[in-house]
Amino acid sequence: MARCRKCRQKKADVFIPHHRLPLCKEHFLEWFEEYLARTIKKFKMFSPEARILVAISGGKDSLVLWKALDNLGYHTEGLFVDLGIEDFSLISRRVAENFAEEIKRPLHVVSIKKESGLTIPDLKSRTKKYCSLCGSIKRYFFNRFARQNNFDVLVTGHNLDDEASSLLSNTINWQLKYLARKYPVLPEGNGFVRKAKPLCRFTAFEIKEYARLQKIEYLTERCPLSPEATRLVYAELMDELEEKMPGTKIRFYMDYLRKVYPIFNRQVEDFLDRPLTQCETCGEPAVSSPCFVCKLKAEAKG
Amino acid sequence: MARCRKCRQKKADVFIPHHRLPLCKEHFLEWFEEYLARTIKKFKMFSPEARILVAISGGKDSLVLWKALDNLGYHTEGLFVDLGIEDFSLISRRVAENFAEEIKRPLHVVSIKKESGLTIPDLKSRTKKYCSLCGSIKRYFFNRFARQNNFDVLVTGHNLDDEASSLLSNTINWQLKYLARKYPVLPEGNGFVRKAKPLCRFTAFEIKEYARLQKIEYLTERCPLSPEATRLVYAELMDELEEKMPGTKIRFYMDYLRKVYPIFNRQVEDFLDRPLTQCETCGEPAVSSPCFVCKLKAEAKG
């Protein structure tokens, strides 16, 4: 491998394809954190003083995000939502806790079993759409915890590969409701806290390299319940396009944000099936009352 | 193969996957022409009395379109634009002429060599973008001929596979200028005749089956000058999606027309780089004067 483009002395440890940049360990880490800071600034995600809640799964994205934000001097705390998926949840939680100890930041844990009486495996036997329901449940608890504890912003580890492939999926299916809200920062309002995706311009490869060089131990297992067949179709298509036409992912995503998002977002009211209301039981924002979590709770009791 | 869904007597000759329809020869041809008539009506493409100019290449799409429109009783004439691509143009022209004789309809021929002094192989040595330039040249002559000869509408053989893959390409690259005009019928105006794509809801497979059962001899060779690498990438991706999730093409395309096209089209003015003007030399609509065809003519002379 070539020499580092920055110091021109050390051998490069990482080559970043879409920036055509060979960098040594030190300058890769520096580049990564600077680029993260620039992304946060570019999208006006949050201020340097913000109290940030990091959604922690134990995977590479959430831990790398936490580490890099911490290195940049941000005030961060982590939240792990325990989904009750047997060994998978136990191991994820341990990985998250070990990491939090290492970087000496607080990690909060919310157990959906304690909160609602249910676990995700219970849902699997009730509905086919348990993957998307699980996503909604996580968002519910992350949002509620962030709001109740006065965090300024909730950040998640979604990376460029995630964002580009979900954009492709939303586009192929013309899901205007999702497209109109597909932006790496969403303002506070209607009971929702401010949300941001600071890793939205980083590829999975760059994130893995950061984890490797920082010696972050993360969970590599995928959720055992979820084949995620459909999501994988779009991820693979995006990878194919990227291989045949390098730079496609970042262009597709960034051009969307710049040129198309504003057009769809202006019409967001038209796209909403139902306006938001508030759940009369738990007080959280919901499309109807009681909200889906309170309904699940009631079912679990009954 | 099963029995025909329509007559329930004859053995099915064709199975149409995305309509899940097994049909015998007679009822497939009937279905094809009825579905064509419904498409023309659905998009208000043209009236039963319209004088129609069919853009003829000699390939399956243009010949099938001509045949089916003729069978439905429309007033059609064909136009073949001779691009001067040696054997390929000679053979295409012969195929087109034979077919016109068979269905006893007039075929007009415009030779770009006679009109401009140039052939497409001349362009190949001048520019890398000769494929898209060739497309523009064809559109120029088709449009001019249709307008000068008072046709009510110019129809082309674009099928669902073409439309879905070009929609995917325009989308991945967020080419709003094209997206805002991506509709199977475009009104007359600014020197352009009315244009329509009556085969936009038919797959290449259905069109080939129609050609087979009608014993239409069409040209199967692709243009020898054009590798069309990029266009093929999107066509292959679309085919992959269709294979993994049958019905994706028609949904992607039709939902675009129904839900998204109106949004982009409303903003079409914003997307145009330059408003249209008129070429002072030839009088055709153009982005600048002299237009690109007149510039090429001048170059060919000089």
Side-chain angles (χ1 to χ4, degrees):
Chain A
M1 197 176 256
R3 298 212 169 267
C4 171
R5 177 78 49 85
K6 204 78 172 263
C7 59
R8 303 199 179 268
Q9 292 177 352
K10 285 184 209 143
K11 262 208 196 146
D13 281 302
V14 187
F15 179 77
I16 313 173
H18 82 247
H19 302 274
R20 295 171 178 278
L21 213 52
L23 292 171
C24 69
K25 175 182 169 179
E26 183 195 338
H27 288 116
F28 172 76
L29 296 176
E30 186 186 280
W31 167 82
F32 192 99
E33 289 165 15
E34 270 177 14
Y35 194 49
L36 179 61
R38 268 189 286 149
T39 305
I40 292 165
K41 212 171 156 187
K42 179 181 175 71
F43 293 104
K44 301 186 177 65
M45 289 181 172
F46 40 80
S47 71
E49 304 76 33
R51 280 192 68 220
I52 301 167
L53 183 66
V54 188
I56 297 296
S57 68
K60 67 180 189 316
D61 302 308
S62 59
L63 299 188
V64 162
L65 175 59
W66 202 1
K67 174 78 176 174
L69 287 176
D70 187 52
N71 279 2
L72 285 168
Y74 284 102
H75 312 294
T76 56
E77 298 182 22
L79 174 59
F80 177 85
V81 172
D82 186 335
L83 303 161
I85 309 176
E86 297 144 30
D87 286 358
F88 180 71
S89 290
L90 287 173
I91 300 169
S92 311
R93 181 174 172 163
R94 195 161 323 136
V95 167
E97 285 171 342
N98 289 344
F99 182 77
E101 233 169 74
E102 226 182 273
I103 65 166
K104 298 185 183 64
R105 299 297 311 154
L107 178 72
H108 309 278
V109 175
V110 168
S111 150
I112 72 154
K113 175 82 183 169
K114 269 190 218 155
E115 295 283 338
S116 69
L118 280 171
T119 64
I120 301 300
D122 297 332
L123 295 178
K124 190 169 171 15
S125 57
R126 286 162 185 244
T127 168
K128 274 188 179 170
K129 290 186 167 181
Y130 62 91
C131 272
S132 75
L133 196 52
C134 176
S136 301
I137 288 176
K138 282 189 279 184
R139 280 191 293 277
Y140 175 97
F141 287 110
F142 278 125
N143 183 68
R144 199 184 71 174
F145 188 93
R147 202 190 61 241
Q148 289 180 342
N149 294 281
N150 297 312
F151 283 92
D152 297 306
V153 63
L154 168 68
V155 299
T156 52
H158 294 89
N159 63 39
L160 177 62
D161 299 70
D162 300 331
E163 291 304 283
S165 72
S166 80
L167 177 59
L168 183 64
S169 163
N170 294 160
T171 301
I172 294 286
N173 299 292
W174 295 116
Q175 293 163 313
L176 294 179
K177 211 169 67 174
Y178 297 125
L179 287 170
R181 287 176 55 79
K182 189 137 213 79
Y183 204 72
V185 57
L186 292 173
E188 183 188 2
N190 292 321
F192 292 109
V193 296
R194 187 175 185 83
K195 283 184 201 119
K197 300 174 180 174
L199 293 182
C200 66
R201 295 203 287 172
F202 290 88
T203 62
F205 169 78
E206 290 156 4
I207 290 166
K208 271 185 212 155
E209 289 296 88
Y210 185 90
R212 177 175 68 87
L213 296 172
Q214 292 281 25
K215 299 196 169 64
I216 295 172
E217 281 177 38
Y218 60 85
L219 195 78
T220 50
E221 281 86 22
R222 290 187 149 271
C223 172
L225 298 183
S226 140
E228 294 195 291
T230 319
R231 261 181 71 188
L232 277 181
V233 168
Y234 296 106
E236 280 166 14
L237 278 190
M238 229 32 260
D239 286 342
E240 255 179 74
L241 271 173
E242 181 69 26
E243 208 190 300
K244 286 177 185 160
M245 298 179 284
T248 301
K249 270 184 202 179
I250 188 88
R251 251 195 307 113
F252 175 54
Y253 179 62
M254 293 300 287
D255 282 359
Y256 176 77
L257 298 183
R258 191 168 53 80
K259 290 166 41 175
V260 187
Y261 168 79
I263 297 170
F264 287 154
N265 184 256
R266 237 176 281 145
Q267 323 222 359
V268 69
E269 297 285 322
D270 301 346
F271 300 147
L272 284 176
D273 298 335
R274 280 183 282 183
L276 273 177
T277 176
Q278 213 178 10
C279 173
E280 281 168 30
T281 312
C282 70
E284 290 301 302
V287 284
S288 59
S289 179
C291 74
F292 72 100
V293 173
C294 290
K295 273 187 214 155
L296 285 173
K297 276 188 203 181
E299 278 182 47
K301 275 183 201 158
Chain B
M1 197 177 258
R3 297 211 170 268
C4 172
R5 177 77 49 84
K6 205 78 174 263
C7 58
R8 303 198 179 269
Q9 293 177 352
K10 286 186 209 143
K11 259 201 188 156
D13 281 303
V14 186
F15 179 76
I16 313 174
H18 81 248
H19 301 276
R20 295 170 178 279
L21 213 52
L23 292 172
C24 70
K25 175 182 168 180
E26 182 193 339
H27 288 114
F28 172 75
L29 296 176
E30 186 186 283
W31 168 82
F32 192 98
E33 288 166 16
E34 269 178 13
Y35 194 48
L36 179 61
R38 268 189 286 149
T39 305
I40 292 166
K41 211 170 156 188
K42 179 182 174 70
F43 292 105
K44 300 185 178 67
M45 289 181 173
F46 40 80
S47 72
E49 301 77 34
R51 280 192 68 220
I52 301 168
L53 183 66
V54 188
I56 297 295
S57 69
K60 67 180 187 318
D61 302 306
S62 59
L63 299 189
V64 162
L65 175 58
W66 201 2
K67 174 77 177 174
L69 287 177
D70 187 50
N71 279 2
L72 285 168
Y74 284 103
H75 311 295
T76 55
E77 298 183 23
L79 174 60
F80 177 84
V81 173
D82 185 337
L83 303 160
I85 308 176
E86 298 144 31
D87 286 358
F88 179 71
S89 290
L90 286 173
I91 299 169
S92 311
R93 182 173 171 165
R94 195 159 324 137
V95 167
E97 284 171 343
N98 289 345
F99 181 76
E101 231 168 76
E102 226 182 271
I103 64 165
K104 298 185 184 62
R105 299 299 308 155
L107 177 71
H108 308 277
V109 175
V110 167
S111 151
I112 71 154
K113 175 82 181 171
K114 269 190 218 157
E115 294 284 339
S116 71
L118 280 171
T119 64
I120 302 300
D122 297 332
L123 295 178
K124 190 171 172 15
S125 57
R126 286 162 184 243
T127 168
K128 274 187 180 172
K129 291 185 166 180
Y130 61 92
C131 272
S132 75
L133 195 52
C134 176
S136 301
I137 288 176
K138 281 190 279 185
R139 281 191 292 277
Y140 176 97
F141 286 110
F142 279 125
N143 183 67
R144 199 184 70 175
F145 188 93
R147 203 191 59 243
Q148 288 180 344
N149 294 280
N150 297 312
F151 283 94
D152 296 307
V153 62
L154 169 68
V155 300
T156 53
H158 295 89
N159 63 39
L160 177 62
D161 299 70
D162 301 331
E163 291 304 282
S165 72
S166 80
L167 177 60
L168 183 64
S169 163
N170 294 160
T171 302
I172 294 285
N173 298 292
W174 296 116
Q175 292 163 314
L176 295 179
K177 212 170 66 174
Y178 297 124
L179 287 169
R181 288 175 56 78
K182 188 136 214 79
Y183 204 72
V185 56
L186 293 174
E188 182 188 2
N190 292 321
F192 291 109
V193 295
R194 187 175 186 83
K195 280 181 204 125
K197 299 174 179 175
L199 294 181
C200 67
R201 296 203 286 174
F202 290 89
T203 63
F205 168 77
E206 290 154 4
I207 290 166
K208 271 185 213 155
E209 289 297 88
Y210 185 90
R212 177 175 69 86
L213 295 172
Q214 291 282 24
K215 298 196 169 64
I216 295 172
E217 281 179 37
Y218 59 86
L219 196 79
T220 50
E221 281 87 21
R222 291 189 148 270
C223 172
L225 297 182
S226 140
E228 295 194 292
T230 319
R231 263 181 69 188
L232 278 180
V233 168
Y234 296 107
E236 280 166 14
L237 278 190
M238 229 34 259
D239 286 341
E240 255 179 74
L241 272 172
E242 181 68 28
E243 209 190 298
K244 286 176 186 161
M245 298 179 285
T248 301
K249 271 185 204 181
I250 188 88
R251 252 195 308 112
F252 175 53
Y253 180 61
M254 292 301 286
D255 282 358
Y256 176 78
L257 297 184
R258 191 168 53 82
K259 291 167 39 175
V260 187
Y261 168 79
I263 297 170
F264 287 155
N265 185 256
R266 238 175 280 146
Q267 323 221 0
V268 68
E269 297 285 320
D270 301 347
F271 301 148
L272 284 176
D273 299 336
R274 279 183 283 183
L276 273 179
T277 176
Q278 213 179 9
C279 173
E280 282 167 30
T281 311
C282 70
E284 291 301 302
V287 284
S288 59
S289 179
C291 74
F292 72 101
V293 172
C294 290
K295 272 189 211 153
L296 285 173
K297 276 190 202 179
E299 276 182 48
K301 276 184 200 157

